[in-house]
Amino acid sequence: MSKPYQIIPISECGEQLVAIASDIYRIAPHPYMALGAPYGDRSPFFIRQGILERLQKSQAYLRTLRPNWQIAVFDAYRPIPVQQFMVDYSFTQLAESKGLPVENLTKEQKKSLMTEVIEFWAIPSDDPQTPPPHSTGAAIDVTLYRYPTQDEDSIQEINMGSPIDEISDRSFPDYFANSLDIKEREFHRDRQLLNQVMTYSGFQRHPNEWWHFSYGDQLWAWISNEKSAIYGGVK
């Protein structure tokens, strides 16, 4: 189940992981830590220095378009054990959503379910030539929030039409592009806004996920027609 971008060579630039700055909103509690994902002493809210700078540039640009809106980080750095944990968790959740007991799955059912999971989740590879994007510190999952108005008492999440990590066609960035429904057209508009502000600073969006953006990893290089990536796996 290899991904097409995994053939891209990596010329690691050596940039360090840094904490996401306090001026960027981080969703808490972190969803995977709440599930018990094995982060150990690592934080999910770390990214490469260059990624932080680009994220801050995107946030500044968003403020010129929507002064009271905020990019919100759902997830960032993901060690390989966490990637494996979330792939296994998503596999189980998908099976249960289809009414299929995991312990009784046939070989064909397992293969079919995993194909669906891997459409959205990267393979948790230990091979330094094929690191999952989030394990490089160069990929982030983001959405949009807005600061409260006079009638509200807390920051509000923008409804993007489907939750982050949903394994369905609704996760495709342009799923609502041709909808005649007013609300669904708003979902598409806000997904386009998120893409606009993220690509402004050089990020590329995952073809299947409205929330996933990266710069400098293999997926970014593949989408951008670059000859090599500059960020490899970080342990």
Side-chain angles (χ1 to χ4, degrees):
M1 291 186 179
S2 62
K3 304 269 189 169
Y5 58 80
Q6 291 180 317
I7 64 171
I8 301 292
I10 301 169
S11 299
E12 172 61 53
C13 68
E15 208 170 79
Q16 296 299 306
L17 286 172
V18 295
I20 295 176
S22 59
D23 60 335
I24 300 295
Y25 187 77
R26 292 160 290 180
I27 296 174
H30 183 267
Y32 306 157
M33 295 187 82
L35 291 173
Y39 281 92
D41 60 354
R42 307 309 295 267
S43 167
F45 292 125
F46 270 63
I47 48 180
R48 300 285 190 128
Q49 177 66 41
I51 302 304
L52 174 59
E53 292 169 2
R54 291 177 185 277
L55 183 57
Q56 290 171 319
K57 183 178 179 180
S58 289
Q59 175 58 42
Y61 179 46
L62 174 61
R63 291 269 173 82
T64 69
L65 303 174
R66 299 283 193 279
N68 65 327
W69 285 37
Q70 172 78 45
I71 295 171
V73 178
F74 177 92
D75 185 44
Y77 174 64
R78 201 181 295 162
I80 299 293
V82 173
Q83 186 74 18
Q84 184 68 62
F85 177 94
M86 290 309 303
V87 166
D88 294 343
Y89 175 83
S90 299
F91 179 90
T92 299
Q93 291 295 104
L94 183 60
E96 291 178 352
S97 73
K98 295 176 181 289
L100 300 172
V102 175
E103 63 275 12
N104 295 328
L105 292 174
T106 66
K107 183 178 180 180
E108 291 73 20
Q109 287 173 326
K110 290 179 181 179
K111 182 178 179 180
S112 177
L113 288 168
M114 188 55 71
T115 297
E116 287 190 62
V117 170
I118 295 303
E119 187 174 9
F120 296 95
W121 288 89
I123 300 163
S125 170
D126 281 317
D127 186 340
Q129 301 303 314
T130 58
H134 279 278
S135 299
T136 69
I140 47 177
D141 294 336
V142 293
T143 187
L144 295 171
Y145 275 57
R146 62 179 172 81
Y147 289 112
T149 64
Q150 291 181 345
D151 299 327
E152 300 166 335
D153 58 6
S154 62
I155 191 169
Q156 301 293 312
E157 181 177 2
I158 301 300
N159 187 346
M160 305 293 276
S162 67
I164 290 175
D165 288 342
E166 180 174 276
I167 299 178
S168 84
D169 290 354
R170 293 200 309 167
S171 293
F172 297 161
D174 293 331
Y175 180 78
F176 297 107
N178 299 314
S179 176
L180 299 179
D181 181 84
I182 293 176
K183 189 62 179 176
E184 291 183 352
R185 288 204 299 269
E186 291 179 358
F187 297 154
H188 182 66
R189 177 201 66 196
D190 293 335
R191 290 182 179 193
Q192 290 294 89
L193 174 63
L194 180 61
N195 186 57
Q196 178 184 346
V197 299
M198 294 299 288
T199 57
Y200 174 79
S201 60
F203 289 104
Q204 290 283 8
R205 181 171 61 184
H206 192 297
N208 296 341
E209 301 173 356
W210 62 258
W211 60 84
H212 177 116
F213 294 85
S214 67
Y215 176 89
D217 62 359
Q218 287 175 304
L219 178 57
W220 166 87
W222 180 68
I223 296 171
S224 305
N225 293 314
E226 297 286 342
K227 294 182 179 179
S228 63
I230 62 171
Y231 296 124
V234 181
K235 294 184 178 180

